Amino acid sequence: MNDSVARGSCLCGAVRFRVSLPSKWVAHCHCTYCRRAHGAPFVTWAGFPDKQFSVEPDAEQPAWYESSPGAQRAFCARCGSPMFFRSTRWPGEMHVARALFTDPLDREPSAHVFYDSHVPWLNINDNLPRKVSQATRHNRERLAANHQATPDPCESPFNERREDYG
């Protein structure tokens, strides 16, 4: 195996892909769209520049669904595995569901994003930062400016202003 390439596939193997490392980031997303699309309490995504991602030439192409304006999710048309995400919000990036990789990646998850949308029935017991959505952050900043709220306890020094986590 070439250490600078990681491969993966859907459940049935019809859609196979490869990425060139390094990845840009890996994070757990708790947004309602990801949870509903995957039928899971959160989805772990790995982000790559588009030019580092490709579907294998002899593999089937995934089907794409516009889940919200400017955002598309890909899945295998044969087995239904949810696989990829792209959005005009993060042009030039492909987000790949971490669990689909059969090869190791170059990093572990570094944050929980959209944590303000997390399900109440799953306890998260790691020490990763918990980011909130931009809308929630904006509302909290507005309320704090009006002395109506305390600072967000989920924010941490990890905040590198990486808005594309969520």
Side-chain angles (χ1 to χ4, degrees), residues 53-65:
F53 168 85
S54 63
V55 173
E56 295 285 2
D58 61 339
E60 289 185 21
Q61 291 295 312
W64 288 89
Y65 166 72

Side-chain angles (χ1 to χ4, degrees), residues 57-95:
D58 61 339
E60 289 185 21
Q61 291 295 312
W64 288 89
Y65 166 72
E66 187 171 27
S67 56
S68 61
Q72 298 176 322
R73 295 173 184 276
F75 60 95
C76 174
R78 185 180 296 178
C79 69
S81 295
M83 301 185 73
F84 314 127
F85 174 83
R86 64 186 177 199
S87 172
T88 55
R89 185 172 177 188
W90 302 287
E93 278 193 23
M94 180 64 70
H95 303 176

Side-chain angles (χ1 to χ4, degrees), residues 64-144:
W64 288 89
Y65 166 72
E66 187 171 27
S67 56
S68 61
Q72 298 176 322
R73 295 173 184 276
F75 60 95
C76 174
R78 185 180 296 178
C79 69
S81 295
M83 301 185 73
F84 314 127
F85 174 83
R86 64 186 177 199
S87 172
T88 55
R89 185 172 177 188
W90 302 287
E93 278 193 23
M94 180 64 70
H95 303 176
V96 181
R98 173 63 183 93
L100 300 176
F101 285 93
T102 54
D103 293 330
L105 289 183
D106 57 334
R107 70 184 77 217
E108 297 300 320
S110 59
H112 292 271
V113 296
F114 286 101
Y115 194 74
D116 49 319
S117 300
H118 76 281
V119 296
W121 44 265
L122 177 68
N123 291 322
I124 304 292
N125 295 317
D126 60 35
N127 292 320
L128 296 177
R130 286 150 170 75
K131 306 286 187 171
V132 297
S133 68
Q134 289 177 343
T136 298
R137 184 177 303 130
H138 173 74
N139 286 339
R140 288 183 180 167
E141 288 170 356
R142 182 182 51 77
L143 291 172

Side-chain angles (χ1 to χ4, degrees), residues 23-27 45-48 93 95 107 110 162 164-165:
S23 60
K24 291 183 77 168
W25 52 267
V26 177
W45 293 107
F48 297 90
E93 278 193 23
H95 303 176
R107 70 184 77 217
S110 59
R162 176 104 174 118
D164 56 352
Y165 278 142

